[in-house]
Amino acid sequence: MATDSLPPSAPPRTSPFLTPGSHSSASSLSILHLRRDQHTPVILQPSSSPSDGYIEGPVTNTRFGSFPHSTLINQPWGSQIRASEVDTGSRGRKGWEGKGKKRKRGSDEIADEVRPETEEEVEGTRKAIKTSATGFVHILSPTPELWTSSLPHRTQVVYTPDYSYILHRLRARPGSVIIEAGAGSGSFTHAAARAVFDGYPALSIQDEGIQTNASAEPALPGKQNGKVYSFEFHEQRCTALQSEIKDHGLEGIVELTHRDVCTEGFTISNSPPIHASAIFLDLPAPWLALKHLTRRIRRKSLDPSANPEPTTPLTPNPVLHPSLPIHICTFSPCIEQVTRTISTLRSHGWLDISMVELSAKKIETRRERVGLQEEGLRGVNASAANVEEAVERLREVEGRTRWFHEMEARKEKEQEQERDGAEAKKDGEPDDMVKGEMEKENDTVNGKEKEKYTSKASRLASIASRLPTRKLYKEGRLVHRPEPELKMHTSYLVFAIFPREWSDEDEKEAERVWGGREAADRRGGVEEGGELGGSGGGRKEEKRMSKRQRRKEAKRRKDADGGKVEVDGEKTDVESRGN
Amino acid sequence: MRDLIRPDTFVGLRLPSDAIQVVRVVPNTSISIGKYGSFYANHIIGRPYHLTFEVLDKSDTSPAQSGLRIVSASELYADLRDGEASTPSESNDLGVAEGNSGVEYELVGEDGEVVLRTNRAIIDDSSTQTMTMAQIEALKAECTGSGRDLIQKILGSHIALDQKTAFALAKYTLRKTKKYLRSFTVLPVDVPLLAHWILTDKEPIKIMELREETLALMGSLLNLHCTAIHSEPNGHGSGIGSGRWLLIDETSGLLAASTAEKIGVLNQPKALVPSIVNDEHEQANSDADDTATASHSIAQPFKPPRIHSSSSLAYLNTITVIHANSQPNLSLLKYFEFDHANPSPSHPLCRHLKTLSWLQLLAPEDDLAYTEPDTFPNETIQSWKSGRRGNYYRKRRRWERIKSIVDETRAGGFDGLMIATGMDLATVLHHTVPLLRGGAQVVIYSPTVEPLVEISDYYSLGRRTAFITDPPEPGSMPTEDFPLDPTLLLAATIHTVKCRPWQVLPGRTHPLMTGRGSSEGYIFTATRVLPAEGKIEARGNFKRRRVNDGNGSRGSEIVEQTLEPIGRELGEGDGTNIS
């Protein structure tokens, strides 16, 4: 990977995934689109960085040509970039420095043609790069989709249809906090980061000296930016993903921890509570992690051997958001895992449990051309397009056969006659006349037949010659069908919801504020009667009164009670203005 | 927003039959849930979402209103425990109000051991249920509770109940439960719920039968995400903002709502309890935008300061909707407290949602709203009556808003285009694709595949090659052969995704027997690219074949970077060094 040679300078300040800007830039990830479904992620490096022996500076070689990074940097996203002439041959060898020079002297002409300014090895030379005659790529800003299709696979990957549906069901939105366990290759990590992103955390940005503004600054206490807490128990994968996160500028948004969540849980020591509202478990045994996701936990005792005393009070779990419903998704390929997970979810009190599987496919479209005019062309069906064409071709074949037989018969006759002629030579002249007539007849027949029945070779030639004038892109029937290789099964998705904790006291309080059953009873009716049990309901009623109504009300009271209530009336007015 | 049920918001009620009903929770009113009865709105206001309530007996305290009881998770799963290894329940930690009815489906519980029973002895006969319809109706009338005892009675009067297999019994119980149990679950109204509800219960045609999983995938493929303010060294500098999404939405606003949700501008910052507000950030964000737009609009004359907040448009994270009628149909936004005809200035969509008609986009001069109203000197305005003055300012405000939207849209540079329309897609794309920035994604939804197949044929490789080899006159587009410029979009692909729900119950796990058919839902995606100037030739085709083809090479082989391996055929580069 190009990431290895990234200079140890500052990490990218912002993520090209989230705020790509309008142009590609140095030290930042971009994706080279080679062909449909074939992408190469490249971290563009400035010419000054180690170039691996290329005189053009860092170069990315693809099967469609070589691309010095200087031709890729600062291009508008989506640009088509031409390949450049790069000498990839000599630099890879051992001791390139010496041998390459020697060789170059031997083949000066070619070398000069390829790189006219070889002599000036320093900075300035690198801009003079010759464009190649053929080959191109498109340079695209990275998206989680492109990354998913091009990332280095370390594990089974969560693909786009799955992760988009999961994030949709998990209600991952800008500002959400999501836990992902089993980060794997990082496909879901990137998609989740995009879904929850709502600004870079202030700290890292200030470090970089970028002008910050209100949206990027969690200045409001208690308000956290959207964040992905990611866990991976495989150390190597974790390290690889961590460096990708850094290279992709996602450091403030994704927090990766190396840990087995099934045994150690999700709590991160020495950091603020996670308060996640969405959880994604891509683990071999997700049910083992669920015990760490209850609303209340017993505080861990320092001595691991001692059982937590039953008297220890349960405290709210810092991993889960205290007031939001928690949405969970587990991702398991086998049905046995699903049944076990669901049974554990039920026993832990998760609600709305459902399981689905997704089947996604891509559809190819093409022009399907059928007909005899396609004979000899590649990749088309050269059978008759319809009955008429078939009959015509059959007639032609039939005719040719008949002609052949006739010719045979004629030849035989000729030979016979010749024999006869030889026998009857003595008889005199008339034979010559007959022979001449026969030949004449033969010629005419041949000519006519030749006209009518062309040989296969000449037919193919005429088909080929007609080809350039045909508009193949609009001929034939437009058809569609699924791509040749389908993903029949990815995994089963189990979803569940953990509602907010709701105690009897909470219920009583809500009843008091909003008027529970008792209040309703006291009211007796539905719509009539403004009196409501509880201050909240009363406040509400008051609010709904318009200014005019209030004035009227005040006047009514004034009329009824005389001077004393005037104060009241004024007071109401003041209040209403305050509103 | 998602923590507690607020007064005057829409909520979804999931009934035992799995049908969803969306209602507005107006305080002090009664909410009817059809045959399941009715309840008093204040009984759910201020409570958390996702709880299940049981409609209680109305006879015991109040004659008019029935109360509600929160059903705990352990109770909900009571009839599922058989066959499962009973795990120590942690649901007590939940702290929800424990149920006191104690009604259990004992018949189910007892049947656990009778596994091998089959249905060979069962005679299909409706006489097995001894209760008649009239009897059940009568029972229903006198039964006032949640309906559990009624279900119990119905089960009890089934004479062949003991012959049923465990599976059949479970099914029978479930069926009766769905029919007679009087309970409901309160769900927050968000885009996933809304999409689900309209598709299954309301009017699928209104949203073009857009499935949830399709909607989710569209968002991902579009690379929809929130954009935070950042310094952009290579920025457009045109002041048109970033994070701009262009929509053609004929799904009554579902696409707009989904987009808004994913970029974080859908929900109004409003607090029931002032301490927990999810949207404070958004408030801050819009304040920041205000300053940005304010400085932008200072130059405009006759702009009274009080107009500022309502007329200024957001700069970041905006949605632009192009509509075919004079007014857009965004009726579904009402479920998010947004009325397009009469937007409340505090709603984020008021500033982040911009709409314009096709006429305004293509020929703004022909639209009256785009022509500047007459201006008057300040003194004249001051001399007017307040009504006329208000009118004058309102007109100017409207014009300013429309003009700024139209100009900004025509300037292009959008980050993505999402389309769901019945219009001819070729004409839509012809006018909208050029408005996208390079690298932006185009996503089109269609309930049927044919329109998308047609479009992807317009962007086929063969057509693009023909276009490049022999481009039509500039300005003559669209031509018959090229309804769209095939060089502007790359990698046109059609996706389809389908979600298959499963039933997961102990020992009875299988995909659901029936599901929604009708439209499958297809998505077209492509990437907007900027073609290089001049002729460009691809690499990767065998030279040999080109010679063979003789008379002009096959179109698709010039530009296409063909599937054949190139390897050593190329003079240079080994084509394998992919970094």
Side-chain angles (χ1 to χ4, degrees), chain B residues 292-352:
Chain B
T293 23
S295 62
H296 189 238
S297 54
I298 266 170
Q300 287 168 357
F302 304 116
K303 196 163 186 206
R306 66 199 159 91
I307 289 165
H308 244 273
S309 60
S310 65
S311 73
S312 62
L313 291 163
Y315 178 78
L316 272 184
N317 295 320
T318 58
I319 303 169
T320 305
V321 176
I322 308 179
H323 47 91
N325 298 323
S326 53
Q327 287 301 319
N329 175 6
L330 300 170
S331 56
L332 292 184
L333 292 181
K334 78 168 181 213
Y335 294 106
F336 306 99
E337 318 296 323
F338 182 76
D339 174 11
H340 183 259
N342 183 23
S344 94
S346 66
H347 199 287
L349 278 179
C350 179
R351 305 174 58 251
H352 291 263

Side-chain angles (χ1 to χ4, degrees), chain A residues 82 213 350 352 367 471, chain B residues 14 77 229 457 481 533:
Chain A
R82 290 171 199 269
N213 107 343
W350 290 80
D352 266 357
R367 291 269 169 183
K471 290 176 176 173
Chain B
R14 194 178 47 224
Y77 296 130
I229 292 180
D457 182 51
D481 287 352
E533 297 285 322

Side-chain angles (χ1 to χ4, degrees), chain B residues 283-483:
Chain B
Q283 197 53 56
N285 196 357
S286 42
D287 289 344
D289 293 358
D290 266 331
T291 53
T293 23
S295 62
H296 189 238
S297 54
I298 266 170
Q300 287 168 357
F302 304 116
K303 196 163 186 206
R306 66 199 159 91
I307 289 165
H308 244 273
S309 60
S310 65
S311 73
S312 62
L313 291 163
Y315 178 78
L316 272 184
N317 295 320
T318 58
I319 303 169
T320 305
V321 176
I322 308 179
H323 47 91
N325 298 323
S326 53
Q327 287 301 319
N329 175 6
L330 300 170
S331 56
L332 292 184
L333 292 181
K334 78 168 181 213
Y335 294 106
F336 306 99
E337 318 296 323
F338 182 76
D339 174 11
H340 183 259
N342 183 23
S344 94
S346 66
H347 199 287
L349 278 179
C350 179
R351 305 174 58 251
H352 291 263
L353 178 70
K354 309 172 181 184
T355 63
L356 76 166
S357 69
W358 283 105
L359 181 67
Q360 284 164 345
L361 176 72
L362 299 177
E365 306 77 33
D366 296 352
D367 190 89
L368 273 180
Y370 186 76
T371 38
E372 183 172 358
D374 298 332
T375 52
F376 293 94
N378 243 344
E379 309 85 68
T380 325
I381 297 168
Q382 293 309 321
S383 67
W384 286 344
K385 278 187 180 162
S386 70
R388 187 170 174 202
R389 201 161 54 221
N391 220 10
Y392 171 78
Y393 282 130
R394 210 182 52 244
K395 261 191 187 162
R396 289 215 54 97
R397 225 154 45 212
R398 189 167 153 244
W399 168 75
E400 267 163 26
R401 187 182 165 97
I402 288 169
K403 180 162 168 50
S404 112
I405 290 175
V406 169
D407 293 351
E408 187 217 278
T409 306
R410 285 167 63 94
F414 284 94
D415 292 284
L417 167 65
M418 181 144 72
I419 298 174
T421 179
M423 285 198 288
D424 179 24
L425 293 173
T427 60
V428 172
L429 288 178
H430 176 68
H431 294 294
T432 49
V433 169
L435 298 178
L436 301 176
R437 72 165 170 87
Q441 300 292 318
V442 176
V443 174
I444 310 175
Y445 166 78
S446 168
T448 53
V449 73
E450 285 77 8
L452 303 185
V453 169
E454 192 188 319
I455 287 297
S456 73
D457 182 51
Y458 293 157
Y459 288 107
S460 73
L461 228 54
R463 215 178 278 258
R464 192 188 312 156
T465 312
F467 186 87
I468 292 171
T469 346
D470 184 17
E473 294 287 307
S476 67
M477 290 289 287
T479 62
E480 196 202 335
D481 287 352
F482 305 108

Side-chain angles (χ1 to χ4, degrees), chain A residues 22 36 61 63 78 82 132 135 171 194 213 350 352 355 357 359 363 367 378 471 474 514 521, chain B residues 14 42 62 77 190 223 229 234 457 481 492 494 498 500 502 530 532-533 537 539 557 566 577:
Chain A
S22 58
R36 178 186 299 270
N61 290 302
R63 53 194 295 187
R82 290 171 199 269
S132 170
R171 271 68 170 175
R194 170 181 65 186
N213 107 343
W350 290 80
D352 266 357
M355 192 270 265
E357 64 174 326
S359 70
I363 290 173
R367 291 269 169 183
R378 220 164 38 95
K471 290 176 176 173
K474 47 187 275 196
W514 294 107
D521 299 341
Chain B
R14 194 178 47 224
N42 291 33
S62 145
Y77 296 130
D190 50 13
N223 193 25
I229 292 180
N234 311 317
D457 182 51
D481 287 352
I494 300 175
K498 191 148 187 195
R500 183 182 212 191
W502 283 58
L530 313 169
E533 297 285 322
E537 217 172 303
R539 187 180 296 192
E557 279 169 23
I566 40 163
N577 183 9

Side-chain angles (χ1 to χ4, degrees), chain B residues 502-560:
Chain B
W502 283 58
Q503 163 189 309
V504 185
L505 293 171
R508 309 194 296 271
T509 298
H510 59 73
L512 293 194
M513 301 295 186
T514 53
R516 195 186 146 73
S518 192
S519 92
E520 286 281 304
Y522 298 87
I523 307 170
F524 169 96
T525 67
T527 310
R528 166 82 155 100
V529 288
L530 313 169
E533 297 285 322
K535 271 218 166 125
I536 193 155
E537 217 172 303
R539 187 180 296 192
N541 30 354
F542 289 107
K543 288 198 171 103
R544 188 161 33 87
R545 183 174 303 114
R546 239 191 252 173
V547 175
N548 264 2
D549 276 352
N551 316 297
S553 39
R554 292 266 310 285
S556 58
E557 279 169 23
I558 307 180
V559 165
E560 180 182 6

Side-chain angles (χ1 to χ4, degrees), chain A residues 4 24 54 239 255 270 274 284 344:
Chain A
D4 298 337
S24 58
Y54 290 104
T239 319
E255 186 169 330
N270 305 326
I274 294 179
T344 315

Side-chain angles (χ1 to χ4, degrees), chain A residues 83-104:
Chain A
S84 300
E85 300 279 4
V86 171
D87 178 13
T88 52
S90 54
R91 58 101 210 167
R93 297 199 196 108
K94 259 188 189 167
W96 173 79
E97 207 79 55
K99 280 179 191 167
K101 274 178 186 161
K102 223 181 279 168
R103 188 173 161 271
K104 201 191 72 210

Side-chain angles (χ1 to χ4, degrees), chain B residues 14-32:
Chain B
R14 194 178 47 224
L15 307 175
S17 59
D18 272 342
I20 287 177
Q21 194 175 326
V22 173
V23 294
R24 190 192 271 275
V25 190
V26 181
N28 312 329
T29 57
S30 157
I31 293 169
S32 160

